[in-house]
Structures are given as structure tokens and as C-alpha cells.
Amino acid sequence: AERSGDCGGLCIALAAALRANGVPARLLAGRWATSALPEHRVDDVPYLQQHVKLEFHCQGIGWVPCDPASGVLHDRGDGLRFFASDPEISSNSTAGAT
């Protein structure tokens, strides 16, 4: 069977699984900071830089960013590069960790 999906579908599925297990989760939809280029297309459709990621809430830590689509597409390492590594909060994400 052919597998396909996009950032929105992956985030909806993960948020639903988290919520089903009592973990608060929210979707964040927007656009990448770079401008769309006319030649950028996905399956012959203009790619206008839309993107969806999510955050889930951990008691004692707060909202943890997660970008499963970028992890699937771009991470060729340990699989955790796009999990809780938002540059805006990376200095705070390990506070209190042991």
C-alpha cells in the first residue's frame, strides 16, 4: 500500500494520540519564514510555505515543541532532532533535567 501524508495529518494523528492518553496537545499552523518561490511545488501544486507543528504539555516543564513531519523528512540521525529542539526555547527545555 502506498503511504502518504503531510505535516497537518501527522500532527493531527499525534495530537489525537496524546489527547487520548490525557496529554494536552495543540496544533500550531502558519508559514515558514522564507518566501515561497514560484518553482517550488509539491505533487505539481505550488508550495506556499504552509506548515503545521504541535506542542504538548508536560507537567513541571510546560509546552514542548514537536515537528514530526520535519523529523520524517529531514532527520537522518537519531530521530530526535525535531523533538523538543525549538531554538526559541532550547536553552530552557532542559532546565531541571537530570
Side-chain angles (χ1 to χ4, degrees):
E2 186 177 323
R3 299 181 322 176
S4 67
D6 61 14
C7 55
L10 288 170
C11 286
I12 289 169
L14 181 54
L18 288 165
R19 290 174 179 167
N21 286 283
V23 178
R26 61 188 180 192
L27 299 178
L28 305 169
R31 294 176 54 131
W32 289 105
T34 58
S35 296
L37 298 175
E39 67 272 11
H40 287 178
R41 302 178 79 74
V42 175
D43 293 331
D44 213 23
V45 175
Y47 176 57
L48 302 175
Q49 302 293 344
Q50 301 97 335
H51 189 58
V52 179
K53 62 182 186 176
L54 68 90
E55 293 178 331
F56 59 93
H57 192 269
C58 290
Q59 189 173 5
I61 295 174
W63 289 99
V64 179
C66 184
D67 189 346
S70 291
V72 169
L73 290 174
H74 305 296
D75 194 348
R76 301 296 180 246
D78 62 8
L80 297 175
R81 180 173 160 213
F82 294 92
F83 180 80
S85 61
D86 190 326
E88 293 294 320
I89 65 164
S90 62
S91 62
N92 296 328
S93 64
T94 57
T98 57

PDB file of all heavy atoms in Angstrom, residues 59-75:
ATOM      1  N   GLN A  59       3.707  18.282  32.645  1.00  0.00           N
ATOM      2  CA  GLN A  59       3.621  18.903  33.962  1.00  0.00           C
ATOM      3  C   GLN A  59       5.027  19.155  34.499  1.00  0.00           C
ATOM      4  O   GLN A  59       5.901  18.305  34.438  1.00  0.00           O
ATOM      5  CB  GLN A  59       2.847  17.996  34.916  1.00  0.00           C
ATOM      6  CG  GLN A  59       2.523  18.646  36.234  1.00  0.00           C
ATOM      7  CD  GLN A  59       1.609  17.779  37.091  1.00  0.00           C
ATOM      8  OE1 GLN A  59       1.297  16.658  36.748  1.00  0.00           O
ATOM      9  NE2 GLN A  59       1.194  18.321  38.209  1.00  0.00           N
ATOM     10  N   GLY A  60       5.260  20.346  35.003  1.00  0.00           N
ATOM     11  CA  GLY A  60       6.556  20.710  35.546  1.00  0.00           C
ATOM     12  C   GLY A  60       7.544  21.210  34.504  1.00  0.00           C
ATOM     13  O   GLY A  60       8.593  21.733  34.841  1.00  0.00           O
ATOM     14  N   ILE A  61       7.216  21.050  33.228  1.00  0.00           N
ATOM     15  CA  ILE A  61       8.104  21.512  32.150  1.00  0.00           C
ATOM     16  C   ILE A  61       7.424  22.599  31.340  1.00  0.00           C
ATOM     17  O   ILE A  61       7.995  23.623  31.048  1.00  0.00           O
ATOM     18  CB  ILE A  61       8.519  20.345  31.229  1.00  0.00           C
ATOM     19  CG1 ILE A  61       9.350  19.345  32.014  1.00  0.00           C
ATOM     20  CG2 ILE A  61       9.274  20.847  30.007  1.00  0.00           C
ATOM     21  CD1 ILE A  61       9.704  18.091  31.264  1.00  0.00           C
ATOM     22  N   GLY A  62       6.183  22.353  30.952  1.00  0.00           N
ATOM     23  CA  GLY A  62       5.443  23.293  30.121  1.00  0.00           C
ATOM     24  C   GLY A  62       5.194  22.718  28.745  1.00  0.00           C
ATOM     25  O   GLY A  62       5.192  21.501  28.551  1.00  0.00           O
ATOM     26  N   TRP A  63       4.995  23.590  27.773  1.00  0.00           N
ATOM     27  CA  TRP A  63       4.695  23.174  26.411  1.00  0.00           C
ATOM     28  C   TRP A  63       5.985  22.770  25.696  1.00  0.00           C
ATOM     29  O   TRP A  63       6.937  23.526  25.650  1.00  0.00           O
ATOM     30  CB  TRP A  63       3.988  24.288  25.653  1.00  0.00           C
ATOM     31  CG  TRP A  63       2.598  24.489  26.145  1.00  0.00           C
ATOM     32  CD1 TRP A  63       2.166  25.449  27.021  1.00  0.00           C
ATOM     33  CD2 TRP A  63       1.458  23.690  25.834  1.00  0.00           C
ATOM     34  NE1 TRP A  63       0.816  25.290  27.255  1.00  0.00           N
ATOM     35  CE2 TRP A  63       0.356  24.229  26.537  1.00  0.00           C
ATOM     36  CE3 TRP A  63       1.244  22.576  25.020  1.00  0.00           C
ATOM     37  CZ2 TRP A  63      -0.927  23.694  26.459  1.00  0.00           C
ATOM     38  CZ3 TRP A  63      -0.030  22.040  24.934  1.00  0.00           C
ATOM     39  CH2 TRP A  63      -1.104  22.591  25.644  1.00  0.00           C
ATOM     40  N   VAL A  64       5.983  21.576  25.135  1.00  0.00           N
ATOM     41  CA  VAL A  64       7.150  21.015  24.454  1.00  0.00           C
ATOM     42  C   VAL A  64       6.875  20.995  22.950  1.00  0.00           C
ATOM     43  O   VAL A  64       5.887  20.405  22.510  1.00  0.00           O
ATOM     44  CB  VAL A  64       7.433  19.572  24.945  1.00  0.00           C
ATOM     45  CG1 VAL A  64       8.625  18.974  24.212  1.00  0.00           C
ATOM     46  CG2 VAL A  64       7.669  19.573  26.457  1.00  0.00           C
ATOM     47  N   PRO A  65       7.735  21.644  22.142  1.00  0.00           N
ATOM     48  CA  PRO A  65       7.515  21.663  20.696  1.00  0.00           C
ATOM     49  C   PRO A  65       7.873  20.322  20.048  1.00  0.00           C
ATOM     50  O   PRO A  65       8.789  19.634  20.485  1.00  0.00           O
ATOM     51  CB  PRO A  65       8.453  22.765  20.207  1.00  0.00           C
ATOM     52  CG  PRO A  65       9.560  22.773  21.206  1.00  0.00           C
ATOM     53  CD  PRO A  65       8.915  22.412  22.532  1.00  0.00           C
ATOM     54  N   CYS A  66       7.148  19.999  19.013  1.00  0.00           N
ATOM     55  CA  CYS A  66       7.399  18.760  18.283  1.00  0.00           C
ATOM     56  C   CYS A  66       7.021  18.976  16.816  1.00  0.00           C
ATOM     57  O   CYS A  66       5.952  19.510  16.523  1.00  0.00           O
ATOM     58  CB  CYS A  66       6.572  17.634  18.902  1.00  0.00           C
ATOM     59  SG  CYS A  66       6.877  16.024  18.174  1.00  0.00           S
ATOM     60  N   ASP A  67       7.888  18.564  15.912  1.00  0.00           N
ATOM     61  CA  ASP A  67       7.643  18.717  14.480  1.00  0.00           C
ATOM     62  C   ASP A  67       7.839  17.361  13.804  1.00  0.00           C
ATOM     63  O   ASP A  67       8.886  17.087  13.228  1.00  0.00           O
ATOM     64  CB  ASP A  67       8.590  19.769  13.902  1.00  0.00           C
ATOM     65  CG  ASP A  67       8.263  20.147  12.475  1.00  0.00           C
ATOM     66  OD1 ASP A  67       7.469  19.424  11.831  1.00  0.00           O
ATOM     67  OD2 ASP A  67       8.797  21.156  12.002  1.00  0.00           O
ATOM     68  N   PRO A  68       6.838  16.470  13.898  1.00  0.00           N
ATOM     69  CA  PRO A  68       7.015  15.123  13.369  1.00  0.00           C
ATOM     70  C   PRO A  68       7.250  15.074  11.863  1.00  0.00           C
ATOM     71  O   PRO A  68       8.011  14.228  11.389  1.00  0.00           O
ATOM     72  CB  PRO A  68       5.732  14.387  13.763  1.00  0.00           C
ATOM     73  CG  PRO A  68       4.728  15.449  14.010  1.00  0.00           C
ATOM     74  CD  PRO A  68       5.503  16.650  14.481  1.00  0.00           C
ATOM     75  N   ALA A  69       6.653  15.972  11.092  1.00  0.00           N
ATOM     76  CA  ALA A  69       6.838  15.943   9.640  1.00  0.00           C
ATOM     77  C   ALA A  69       8.284  16.256   9.263  1.00  0.00           C
ATOM     78  O   ALA A  69       8.871  15.582   8.419  1.00  0.00           O
ATOM     79  CB  ALA A  69       5.890  16.926   8.961  1.00  0.00           C
ATOM     80  N   SER A  70       8.868  17.277   9.883  1.00  0.00           N
ATOM     81  CA  SER A  70      10.272  17.591   9.593  1.00  0.00           C
ATOM     82  C   SER A  70      11.181  16.461  10.043  1.00  0.00           C
ATOM     83  O   SER A  70      12.189  16.175   9.410  1.00  0.00           O
ATOM     84  CB  SER A  70      10.683  18.905  10.252  1.00  0.00           C
ATOM     85  OG  SER A  70      10.026  19.986   9.622  1.00  0.00           O
ATOM     86  N   GLY A  71      10.829  15.812  11.138  1.00  0.00           N
ATOM     87  CA  GLY A  71      11.611  14.656  11.579  1.00  0.00           C
ATOM     88  C   GLY A  71      11.586  13.528  10.565  1.00  0.00           C
ATOM     89  O   GLY A  71      12.609  12.925  10.262  1.00  0.00           O
ATOM     90  N   VAL A  72      10.417  13.258  10.000  1.00  0.00           N
ATOM     91  CA  VAL A  72      10.281  12.198   8.998  1.00  0.00           C
ATOM     92  C   VAL A  72      11.039  12.566   7.730  1.00  0.00           C
ATOM     93  O   VAL A  72      11.727  11.744   7.140  1.00  0.00           O
ATOM     94  CB  VAL A  72       8.788  11.942   8.676  1.00  0.00           C
ATOM     95  CG1 VAL A  72       8.633  11.058   7.455  1.00  0.00           C
ATOM     96  CG2 VAL A  72       8.088  11.316   9.875  1.00  0.00           C
ATOM     97  N   LEU A  73      10.938  13.821   7.302  1.00  0.00           N
ATOM     98  CA  LEU A  73      11.533  14.243   6.034  1.00  0.00           C
ATOM     99  C   LEU A  73      13.025  14.517   6.106  1.00  0.00           C
ATOM    100  O   LEU A  73      13.745  14.245   5.160  1.00  0.00           O
ATOM    101  CB  LEU A  73      10.836  15.502   5.522  1.00  0.00           C
ATOM    102  CG  LEU A  73       9.413  15.334   5.044  1.00  0.00           C
ATOM    103  CD1 LEU A  73       8.811  16.689   4.703  1.00  0.00           C
ATOM    104  CD2 LEU A  73       9.368  14.417   3.832  1.00  0.00           C
ATOM    105  N   HIS A  74      13.498  15.080   7.208  1.00  0.00           N
ATOM    106  CA  HIS A  74      14.852  15.629   7.221  1.00  0.00           C
ATOM    107  C   HIS A  74      15.825  14.987   8.200  1.00  0.00           C
ATOM    108  O   HIS A  74      17.025  15.145   8.040  1.00  0.00           O
ATOM    109  CB  HIS A  74      14.797  17.127   7.525  1.00  0.00           C
ATOM    110  CG  HIS A  74      13.909  17.894   6.603  1.00  0.00           C
ATOM    111  ND1 HIS A  74      14.148  18.021   5.256  1.00  0.00           N
ATOM    112  CD2 HIS A  74      12.743  18.550   6.836  1.00  0.00           C
ATOM    113  CE1 HIS A  74      13.189  18.730   4.687  1.00  0.00           C
ATOM    114  NE2 HIS A  74      12.322  19.064   5.629  1.00  0.00           N
ATOM    115  N   ASP A  75      15.357  14.343   9.228  1.00  0.00           N
ATOM    116  CA  ASP A  75      16.265  13.834  10.262  1.00  0.00           C
ATOM    117  C   ASP A  75      16.828  12.481   9.851  1.00  0.00           C
ATOM    118  O   ASP A  75      16.112  11.509   9.757  1.00  0.00           O
ATOM    119  CB  ASP A  75      15.530  13.713  11.599  1.00  0.00           C
ATOM    120  CG  ASP A  75      16.487  13.510  12.762  1.00  0.00           C
ATOM    121  OD1 ASP A  75      17.676  13.244  12.514  1.00  0.00           O
ATOM    122  OD2 ASP A  75      16.050  13.636  13.906  1.00  0.00           O
TER     123      ASP A  75
END
